[in-house]
C-alpha cells in the first residue's frame, strides 16, 4: 500500500488507508467473478513465486531504531488502544522492558523477524527495535470524519509497519514496475495468515481456548493477535512464524 509521510503518523496512516481499500491490488490476481486467475485451485499457494518479482531498488530501509507514535484519530475505545499498544510493544518486547522469553512462540517478535530479513545497500537490516513512542489524540478528527476504522485493525497496522520498514521512501523493496503503485512485502500476502492460505482461505490458524477466536501470534501480557504474513525474500513465498512447515 502506498503510504508515504514518515513514521510519525503511523496510526493515522494505517487508518487513512482504510477508505482506500478499493485501490489495493488484491493478490493473487482475480478475475471478474473473484476467482483466482491463473492458478490451479489445488496448488499450494501462500503467494506463489511464479507471479512475484520482488526487487530491491537501492533505497534505504528503516535500519535505525524505530519509534512508533500513535495518533489516535477520532474517538478510540480504551480497550482498542490497549490492544494496539500491546501489539506495538510485542514487536520487540525487550525494548519495552519485557523479560526475554516471556512471550511464547509463534510470537509477534517472530513475525517481525521476516521483516528484518530485508536489507539495504549498506547491508543494514530493518531494525530489531520497535518502541512505542509518545501518543497524540486527534479526537476532533482534524482531517475530516470520512476516515473509518476497519476490522483487523492490528493486522492493518502490522501491514503498514512492515512496508514502512522495508520500503520507507518507495525506492527499496517492492514488486511491479510503477513506484507510485508499488506492491510491497505485505501487499503480496494480504489475506494469508497461515499455512495453505490464499484465495478466500486464511490458512491454518490457532484457536484461543477461552474465546474460540482464531489467532496466529502471541504478544505481551498474554495477548493474542491475528496478523497477516509478509513476503519472505529467501523462501520467495509468504511466511510467518505459525507456518507448519518450518517450525
Ligand atoms: C539481515 O539480513 C540478512 C539478509 O537478508 C539475513 O541473512 C540476516 O539473517 C538478517 N539478520 C537479522 C538479524 O535478521
Amino acid at each position: 500500500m502506498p503510504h508515504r509521510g514518515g513514521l510519525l503518523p503511523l496510526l493515522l496512516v494505517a487508518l487513512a488507508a482504510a477508505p482506500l481499500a478499493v485501490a489495493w491490488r488484491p493478490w493473487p490476481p482475480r478475475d471478474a467473478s473473484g476467482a483466482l486467475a491463473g492458478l490451479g485451485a489445488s496448488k499450494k499457494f501462500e503467494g506463489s513465486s511464479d507471479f512475484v518479482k520482488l526487487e530491491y531498488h537501492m533505497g534505504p530501509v528503516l535500519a535505525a531504531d524505530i519509534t512508533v507514535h500513535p495518533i489516535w484519530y477520532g474517538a478510540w475505545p480504551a480497550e482498542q488502544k490497549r490492544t494496539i499498544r500491546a501489539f506495538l510493544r510485542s514487536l520487540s518486547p525487550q525494548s519495552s522492558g519485557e523479560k526475554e522469553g516471556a512471550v511464547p512462540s509463534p510470537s509477534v517478535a517472530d513475525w517481525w523477524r521476516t521483516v528484518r530479513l530485508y536489507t539495504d545497500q549498506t547491508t543494514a537490516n530493518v531494525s530489531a527495535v520497535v518502541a512505542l513512542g509518545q501518543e497524540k489524540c486527534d479526537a476532533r478528527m482534524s482531517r475530516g470524519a470520512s476516515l473509518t476504522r476497519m476490522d483487523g485493525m492490528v493486522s492493518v497496522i502490522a501491514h503498514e509497519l512492515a512496508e514502512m520498514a522495508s520500503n520507507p521512501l518507495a525506492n527499496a523493496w517492492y514488486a511491479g514496475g510503477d513506484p507510485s503503485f508499488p506492491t510491497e512485502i505485505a501487499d503480496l500476502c494480504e489475506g494469508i495468515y497461515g499455512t495453505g492460505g490464499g484465495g478466500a482461505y486464511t490458512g491454518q490458524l490457532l484457536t484461543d481456548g477461552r474465546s474460540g477466536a482464531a489467532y496466529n501470534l502471541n504478544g505481551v501480557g498474554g495477548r493474542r493477535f491475528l496478523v497477516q504474513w509478509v513476503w519472505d525474500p529467501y523462501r520467495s513465498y509468504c511466511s510467518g512464524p505459525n507456518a507448519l512447515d518450518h517450525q
Side-chain angles (χ1 to χ4, degrees):
M1 188 69 208
H3 53 55
R4 306 285 76 97
L7 261 194
L8 212 85
L10 173 71
L11 197 56
L12 183 57
V13 163
L15 290 172
L20 301 178
V22 288
W24 290 15
R25 281 135 298 115
W27 186 266
R30 281 155 212 273
D31 64 21
S33 73
L36 298 183
L39 272 180
S42 65
K43 185 164 177 177
K44 173 180 153 92
F45 179 60
E46 294 162 36
S48 165
S49 55
D50 303 355
F51 290 96
V52 176
K53 204 158 181 339
L54 186 73
E55 287 175 306
Y56 177 56
H57 300 263
M58 305 313 278
V61 301
L62 294 184
D65 293 1
I66 298 169
T67 304
V68 178
H69 297 275
I71 298 174
W72 304 107
Y73 191 81
W76 283 76
E79 176 51 25
Q80 284 184 7
K81 290 189 185 179
R82 277 196 291 273
T83 301
I84 289 170
R85 284 189 201 107
F87 173 74
L88 295 170
R89 278 199 295 265
S90 299
L91 289 158
S92 58
Q94 273 92 286
S95 321
S96 303
E98 297 282 326
K99 279 201 292 286
E100 196 171 347
V103 179
S105 287
S107 69
V108 173
D110 295 337
W111 174 85
W112 187 249
R113 264 187 250 286
T114 304
V115 181
R116 287 168 53 201
L117 292 175
Y118 290 87
T119 54
D120 64 20
Q121 302 192 50
T122 70
T123 71
N125 290 66
V126 166
S127 175
V129 175
V130 185
L132 181 60
Q134 261 184 1
E135 302 181 19
K136 285 193 178 150
C137 283
D138 188 357
R140 290 184 317 178
M141 302 194 286
S142 57
R143 295 180 61 178
S146 63
L147 304 180
T148 53
R149 205 160 299 146
M150 62 192 288
D151 289 340
M153 196 169 42
V154 165
S155 194
V156 170
I157 292 167
H159 175 126
E160 294 300 326
L161 195 57
E163 294 185 344
M164 265 190 211
S166 56
N167 196 30
L169 302 176
N171 61 3
W173 290 96
Y174 62 88
D178 182 350
S180 44
F181 294 98
T183 300
E184 298 171 303
I185 70 165
D187 294 325
L188 290 166
C189 305
E190 216 158 70
I192 298 176
Y193 300 81
T195 296
Y201 178 49
T202 57
Q204 293 255 353
L205 305 177
L206 303 162
T207 305
D208 182 300
R210 264 173 310 149
S211 66
Y215 75 101
N216 63 352
L217 302 179
N218 292 294
V220 300
R223 287 189 186 253
R224 292 170 159 178
F225 300 100
L226 182 59
V227 173
Q228 70 152 85
W229 283 3
V230 294
W231 189 257
D232 181 316
Y234 287 100
R235 295 188 168 99
S236 280
Y237 51 77
C238 298
S239 184
N242 58 309
L244 299 177
D245 55 352
H246 56 87
Q247 283 301 313

